[in-house]
């Protein structure tokens, strides 16, 4: 990335890195409701500090570092304003996520985009009933008891089903990625 | 009381429990000219702060020790069930403690937890349209628009997004809106005639609202349109293209921008199911009940915007006054005030604060701004916009600001001379005085950025009668605070304020202002430009 950031380039970088950044923010124990908020704040902060960005470095790693600092700062806020689930849990997750916010297991932006595409494909392929449960949980943000009530099932059964569906989706995604890599 | 004793008493209370403002002032007065007392206050405050830090550190260390002890005594836990609970958002405090314990004692558990959380977020992004890439970038642009001064950057950003995302396109629609203006004016006249006809033949007792104004190429869904006379019964409506303003019999006006779907629930109620809407609620009539999907905007007062374009989420913005929001399914309540905005997501109880961004409502707002028709290059500025010059790329247009929706004069107000049907000259000496009453105030402005000079003509027809205008620079300045004008962007100091008004000497190249015989239309010819020079006219219309 030797060229300086133009507005168009900045959009392109936001588009390229948003999926991975949001996943990274969530991995630090940020409340799911606030994940996008923190990620956006990181992009806004990054934009404000573009003059300090070394364009020979990886943009994704740099923005993750900013996001990591934002999450650390959440610890200092009063309880009502915190965007993390638990102070102690976030302490542990931040401490084990590496100094630069780039642990060894962080995928490249491209890998995250591929995962996202594969997941969307897997969701399309799911049986209708299963998709309905996943949509209720993720798209509508319903809790297991509410989904159970709507579908006439027991809460525990919904929890088990969600666990099973997540596993199935993960396996499907990995199959897709494997097939893509070998094709 | 003895001043020394009073000083000691106030100081003790300051350290122990704080002082109200009046007593803080008293303490400051007692320290004036007494450096010994000031030093004592400094010393006591310093000591109190040290004490607070020491106590906090001790309690924090004790809490940490208790936590470690708890962890060490805790029976071993399994990660999988805790992980499921976390992903399903069903964690309790003890569950968090168990998870922390597991992550401390087994580093692999922390690694797996981070991995699972990250993967789960990708799944959420894949499954939820409201977390799509477009939604994220759109929200980011909104935020940057609100949090930075980089208007030019964001303008370009928006253009780019529009190029990549050809669905509802504000800029293109703005262009289309202007191109359709002459047709819109004709359509408005037809509708007005239709409404008059309806009144003469007696309003249909089933109908509760009528079309007041349209813009653009208005097309309704088959079976979801108002009747031929422009009246609406309670029921469902689908606006496939264009913009309309629906006036309810209770007096409230609702502007909708296509594609939109809405239910008319009565003479004082509507439910916006899809699209963009701005409601201007009549204060005189019955309270209006506005809903949008799962969000109840209460019996709102004043002006409120609803953005229900995105599947599964509604955003509400208050432009004027306030609203009491409720999510009935969850019992959530929230008061929303001027220039505040929230987002409600379907199936979620929380109303999330978002930055105030009026930009998407530009066209709908223009429909309820009280400017019925406009010719020439005219833009109706959004509420809360400060007076500022147009950007270089947008020079060549006249800006109209609605400064005050309801200006109540509690004493007579002197305005500048303006006789209907005549060109106004500066020599006219008689300045009329407006009696007490309720007015609405607009500011019309030509203020190009940069040193280039500009000449513009514009014609504005208002929904209410024009009762007074102010075009002299001094009078503009003295009435700014009365109308609550957003003058933050005006040049400060110097002689700039004296150059705000019109130059009406009647010579070629001067400004010109004419009011129509029916007092509804104001035509202006403005010549402005040069560094920090602007032309401004304040127009006052009678609301009642």
């Amino acid at each position: 990335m030797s060229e300086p950031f133009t507005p168009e380039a900045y959009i392109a970088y936001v588009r390229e890195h948003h999926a991975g950044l949001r996943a990274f923010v969530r991995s630090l124990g940020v409340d799911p409701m606030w994940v996008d908020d923190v990620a956006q704040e990181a992009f806004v902060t990054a934009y404000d500090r573009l003059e300090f960005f070394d364009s020979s470095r990886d943009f994704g790693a740099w923005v993750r570092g900013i996001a990591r600092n934002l999450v650390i700062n959440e610890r200092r806020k009063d309880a009502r304003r915190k965007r993390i689930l638990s102070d102690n849990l976030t302490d542990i997750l931040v401490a084990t996520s590496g100094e630069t916010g780039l642990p060894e297991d962080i995928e490249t932006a491209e890998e995250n985009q591929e995962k996202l595409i594969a997941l969307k494909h897997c969701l399309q392929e799911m049986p209708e009933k299963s998709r309905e449960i996943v949509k209720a949980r993720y798209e509508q943000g319903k809790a297991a008891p509410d989904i159970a009530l709507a579908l006439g099932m027991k809460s525990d059964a919904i929890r088990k089903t969600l666990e099973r569906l997540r596993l199935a989706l993960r396996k499907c995604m990995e199959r897709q990625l494997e097939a893509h890599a070998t094709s | 009381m003895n001043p020394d004793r009073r000083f000691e008493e106030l100081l003790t209370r300051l350290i122990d429990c704080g002082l109200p403002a009046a007593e803080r002032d008293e303490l400051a007065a007692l320290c004036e000219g007494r450096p010994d007392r000031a030093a004592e206050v400094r010393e006591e405050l310093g000591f109190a702060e040290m004490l607070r830090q020491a106590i906090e550190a001790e309690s924090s260390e004790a809490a940490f020790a208790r936590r470690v002890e708890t962890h060490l005594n805790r029976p071993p836990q399994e990660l999988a069930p805790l992980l499921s609970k976390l992903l399903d958002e069903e964690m309790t405090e003890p569950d968090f403690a168990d998870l922390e314990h597991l992550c401390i004692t087994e580093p692999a558990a922390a690694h797996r937890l981070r991995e699972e959380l990250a993967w789960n977020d990708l799944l959420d992004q894949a499954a939820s349209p409201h977390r799509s890439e477009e939604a994220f970038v759109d929200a980011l642009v909104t935020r940057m628009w609100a949090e930075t001064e980089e208007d030019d950057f964001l303008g370009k950003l928006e253009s780019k997004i529009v190029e990549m995302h050809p669905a509802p396109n504000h800029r293109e629609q703005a262009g289309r809106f202007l191109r359709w203006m002459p047709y819109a004016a004709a359509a408005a006249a037809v509708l007005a005639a239709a409404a008059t006809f309806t009144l003469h033949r007696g309003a249909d007792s089933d109908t509760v609202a009528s079309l007041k104004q349209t813009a653009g190429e208005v097309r309704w869904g088959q079976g979801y349109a108002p009747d031929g006379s422009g009246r609406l019964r309670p029921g469902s409506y689908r606006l496939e293209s264009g913009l309309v303003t629906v006036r309810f019999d209770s007096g409230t006006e609702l502007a909708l921008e296509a594609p939109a779907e809405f239910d008319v629930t009565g003479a004082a109620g509507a439910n916006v199911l899809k699209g963009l809407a701005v409601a201007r609620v009549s204060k005189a009539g019955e309270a209006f009940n506005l809903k949008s999907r799962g969000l109840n905007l209460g019996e709102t007062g004043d002006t409120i915007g609803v953005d229900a374009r995105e599947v599964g989420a509604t955003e509400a913005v208050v432009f004027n006054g306030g609203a009491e929001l409720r999510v009935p399914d969850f019992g959530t309540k929230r008061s929303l005030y001027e220039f505040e905005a929230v987002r409600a997501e379907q199936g979620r109880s929380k109303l999330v604060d978002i930055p105030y961004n009026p930009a998407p409502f530009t066209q709908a707002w223009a429909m309820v701004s009280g400017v019925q028709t406009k010719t020439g290059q005219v833009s109706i500025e959004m509420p809360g916009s400060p007076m500022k010059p147009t950007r270089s790329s947008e020079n060549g247009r006249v800006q109209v600001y609605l400064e005050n929706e309801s200006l109540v004069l509690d004493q007579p107000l002197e305005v500048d001379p303006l006789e209907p049907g005549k060109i106004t000259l500066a020599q006219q000496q008689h300045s009329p005085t407006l009696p007490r009453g309720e007015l609405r105030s607009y500011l019309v402005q030509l203020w190009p950025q940069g040193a280039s000079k500009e000449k513009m003509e514009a014609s504005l027809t208002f929904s209410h009668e024009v009762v007074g205008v102010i075009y002299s620079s001094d009078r503009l300045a003295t009435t700014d605070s009365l109308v609550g004008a957003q003058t933050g962007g005006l040049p400060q100091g110097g002689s700039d304020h004296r150059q705000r008004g019109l130059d009406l000497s009647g010579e070629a190249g001067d400004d010109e202002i004419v009011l129509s015989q029916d007092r509804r239309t104001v035509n202006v010819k403005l010549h402005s430009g040069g560094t920090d020079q602007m032309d401004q006219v304040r127009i006052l219309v009678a609301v009642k």
Side-chain angles (χ1 to χ4, degrees):
Chain A
M1 192 170 45
S2 55
E3 291 296 311
F5 273 111
T6 61
E8 289 77 12
Y10 197 71
I11 304 162
Y13 276 95
V14 168
R15 288 183 183 278
E16 190 181 335
H17 293 280
H18 77 94
L21 181 70
R22 291 149 90 187
F24 173 72
V25 167
R26 176 86 168 102
S27 78
L28 298 183
V30 170
D31 185 329
M33 180 173 273
W34 293 104
V35 166
D36 286 357
D37 193 63
V38 173
Q40 279 166 17
E41 194 175 337
F43 278 124
V44 173
T45 308
Y47 177 68
D48 285 344
R49 296 183 191 163
L50 273 181
E51 62 195 285
F52 302 112
F53 174 58
D54 172 1
S55 60
S56 64
R57 285 185 57 208
D58 177 60
F59 178 79
W62 184 59
V63 183
R64 279 197 295 278
I66 291 172
R68 189 171 178 273
N69 288 334
L70 290 173
V71 174
I72 291 168
N73 287 343
E74 289 299 308
R75 287 282 274 110
R76 299 181 195 137
K77 289 184 175 176
D78 71 65
R80 282 184 307 124
R81 292 174 169 272
K82 276 185 183 151
R83 295 179 288 186
I84 51 179
L85 293 169
S86 151
D87 284 357
N88 298 327
L89 190 62
T90 286
D91 278 352
I92 296 162
L93 294 172
V94 167
T96 55
S97 73
E99 283 296 309
T100 61
L102 182 63
E104 64 289 352
D105 55 350
I106 288 285
E107 294 91 348
T108 63
E110 197 184 347
E111 284 168 337
N112 277 312
Q113 291 288 358
E114 281 173 7
K115 278 187 174 182
L116 205 54
I117 292 165
L119 267 173
K120 283 179 181 170
H121 181 78
C122 293
L123 281 164
Q124 292 295 324
E125 298 289 301
M126 278 180 111
E128 183 58 37
K129 181 87 172 171
S130 301
R131 195 160 63 239
E132 199 181 336
I133 294 173
V134 172
K135 282 181 84 160
R137 175 70 195 98
Y138 288 93
E139 187 179 329
Q140 295 157 22
K142 284 187 178 169
D146 297 330
I147 303 171
L149 197 67
L151 298 180
M153 293 168 72
K154 290 190 172 165
S155 298
D156 279 345
I158 292 290
R159 287 188 189 101
K160 279 276 167 217
T161 307
L162 277 169
E163 206 176 319
R164 189 174 52 75
L165 289 174
R166 274 195 286 262
L167 191 63
L169 278 167
R170 187 162 189 153
K171 282 184 177 164
C172 169
M173 181 190 77
E174 283 164 0
R175 274 199 309 274
Q176 292 279 329
L177 293 174
E178 225 168 86
H180 180 69
T182 53
S183 65
Chain B
M1 185 186 283
N2 176 313
D4 283 337
R5 277 181 53 198
R6 179 65 178 155
F7 168 76
E8 290 300 332
E9 183 189 320
L10 289 175
L11 181 56
T12 307
R13 283 177 42 213
L14 175 71
I15 301 300
D16 290 345
C17 52
L19 285 178
E23 290 187 326
R24 279 204 305 270
D25 291 345
E26 189 186 346
L27 184 63
L30 286 167
C31 292
E32 257 182 28
R34 290 289 302 267
D36 56 320
R37 284 184 184 160
E40 194 179 341
V41 171
R42 266 200 307 274
E43 194 180 327
E44 287 293 340
L45 285 174
F47 180 71
E49 176 57 21
M50 277 174 59
L51 198 59
R52 187 190 66 76
Q53 288 179 20
I55 291 167
E56 202 171 71
E58 190 189 21
S59 78
S60 157
E61 279 165 21
F64 178 73
R66 275 199 303 277
R67 249 184 12 241
V68 170
E69 197 182 336
T70 312
H71 282 312
L72 292 175
N73 295 332
R74 195 174 291 276
Q77 300 289 321
E78 280 188 34
L79 181 62
L82 288 171
L83 202 53
S84 289
K85 277 187 165 184
L86 184 64
L87 298 182
D88 290 340
E89 296 179 57
E90 294 189 320
M91 292 285 275
T92 60
E93 283 295 322
D95 290 335
F96 274 114
D98 285 343
L99 194 56
E100 286 162 24
H101 175 64
L102 202 59
C103 291
I104 288 170
T105 52
E106 290 177 38
H111 179 89
R112 165 114 189 265
L113 177 59
R114 276 191 291 112
E115 194 191 38
E116 286 288 345
L117 284 170
W119 182 82
N120 197 66
D121 196 76
L122 283 177
L123 173 57
D124 196 10
Q125 291 178 43
S128 314
H130 69 269
R131 295 200 68 210
S132 69
E133 179 175 307
E134 292 309 329
F136 182 82
V137 174
D138 204 13
L140 178 66
V141 170
T142 301
R143 188 163 179 165
M144 294 185 84
W145 181 88
E147 292 182 14
T148 73
E149 297 294 319
E150 304 284 341
D151 282 353
D152 189 45
F153 168 81
L154 289 160
K156 288 178 183 170
L157 202 58
E158 189 182 24
S159 309
K160 187 72 184 174
I161 286 160
V162 159
E163 280 169 28
M164 293 173 170
H165 186 43
N169 177 329
H170 308 318
R171 282 171 187 259
E172 190 188 310
Q173 282 174 351
R176 192 163 61 221
F177 180 72
L178 288 174
R179 283 200 297 280
W180 278 94
M181 270 312 292
Y183 303 98
V190 170
L191 283 169
T196 309
F197 172 72
T198 307
L199 284 174
H200 280 294
R201 72 183 169 87
D204 185 331
S205 59
D206 290 347
T207 63
V208 292
S210 37
L211 279 182
K212 184 193 169 205
Q213 198 178 345
T214 64
E217 192 179 8
V218 172
R219 196 173 64 241
W220 295 90
Q222 201 173 4
Y224 294 91
D227 66 22
S229 66
R231 291 285 292 171
L232 289 84
R233 294 179 172 79
S236 299
Y237 295 86
R238 188 186 300 153
L239 180 66
E240 291 179 346
S241 72
L243 286 119
V244 299
T245 307
V246 175
R247 186 182 164 85
F248 289 78
D249 289 351
S250 58
T252 288
E253 291 179 3
L254 184 68
L256 294 129
E257 181 178 339
E261 291 174 21
F262 62 101
D263 290 341
V264 170
T265 53
N271 188 3
V272 178
L273 304 167
K274 180 183 167 188
L276 271 173
V278 174
R280 179 198 274 279
V281 179
S282 164
K283 287 177 187 167
E286 195 180 336
F288 194 76
N289 195 329
L290 182 61
K291 290 180 184 172
S292 179
R293 305 192 279 208
L295 182 66
N296 190 335
L297 292 105
E299 294 184 345
T300 58
D302 308 321
T303 315
I304 192 162
V306 171
D307 183 348
R309 289 174 299 172
E310 189 184 322
V311 175
T314 297
E315 293 180 5
V317 183
V318 170
F319 299 120
N320 189 318
E324 291 297 320
L325 306 188
R326 283 190 298 121
V327 186
D329 285 354
F330 296 95
T332 309
K333 287 183 182 174
R334 165 75 197 272
S335 296
L336 201 63
Y337 301 102
E338 202 162 79
F339 309 145
E340 287 186 343
V342 290
R343 177 184 174 90
E345 291 183 357
Q346 209 174 348
R348 297 205 174 197
S349 62
K350 282 189 188 170
L351 293 168
V352 180
D353 286 273
I354 55 172
Y356 171 73
N357 174 19
F361 297 96
T362 305
Q363 295 182 74
W365 164 250
M367 300 286 282
V368 294
S369 64
V371 178
Q372 269 188 329
T373 57
K374 52 190 172 70
T375 52
Q377 293 297 311
V378 178
S379 66
I380 310 288
E381 301 296 323
M382 292 301 294
S385 307
M387 288 177 204
K388 60 179 183 183
T390 43
R391 291 186 294 214
S392 317
S393 59
E394 294 175 327
N395 281 353
R397 68 186 171 101
V398 172
Q399 298 162 283
V400 180
Y401 298 85
L402 173 50
E403 297 179 299
N404 195 321
E405 293 255 9
S406 174
L407 170 64
V408 179
L409 294 181
D410 50 14
Q411 58 184 11
L413 175 70
E414 201 171 78
V415 294
D416 288 321
L418 185 71
E419 275 188 62
K422 288 187 180 175
I423 293 175
T424 305
L425 297 172
Q427 295 91 321
Q428 290 168 307
Q429 295 297 313
H430 172 68
S431 294
T433 299
L434 301 183
R436 293 181 183 86
E438 188 178 348
L439 306 174
R440 188 181 292 164
S441 168
Y442 297 88
L443 187 89
V444 177
Q445 167 180 288
L446 178 65
W447 187 5
Q449 191 178 59
S452 64
K453 295 220 172 245
E454 284 194 353
K455 175 186 168 191
M456 293 292 303
E457 289 185 36
S459 177
L460 302 164
T461 301
F462 294 90
S463 56
H464 294 82
E465 196 171 284
V466 176
V467 292
V469 294
I470 295 172
Y471 49 74
S472 58
S473 295
D474 289 342
R475 210 165 258 149
L476 280 165
T478 55
T479 50
D480 277 341
S481 59
L482 176 75
V483 301
Q486 304 274 333
T487 56
L490 289 181
Q492 300 298 308
S495 60
D496 295 319
H497 80 279
R498 290 200 294 274
Q499 299 171 337
R500 288 173 58 184
L502 305 187
D503 183 359
L504 300 174
S505 59
E507 292 172 14
D510 280 351
D511 302 318
E512 202 174 291
I513 179 165
V514 180
L515 176 64
S516 67
Q517 287 288 358
D518 68 358
R519 303 193 74 104
R520 292 290 180 103
T521 302
V522 175
N523 295 313
V524 285
K525 283 185 188 172
L526 306 172
H527 299 76
S528 186
T531 307
D532 293 335
Q533 286 200 14
M534 69 206 82
D535 276 347
Q536 292 185 331
V537 186
R538 182 158 283 140
I539 296 175
L540 302 164
V541 304
V543 180
K544 288 176 183 170

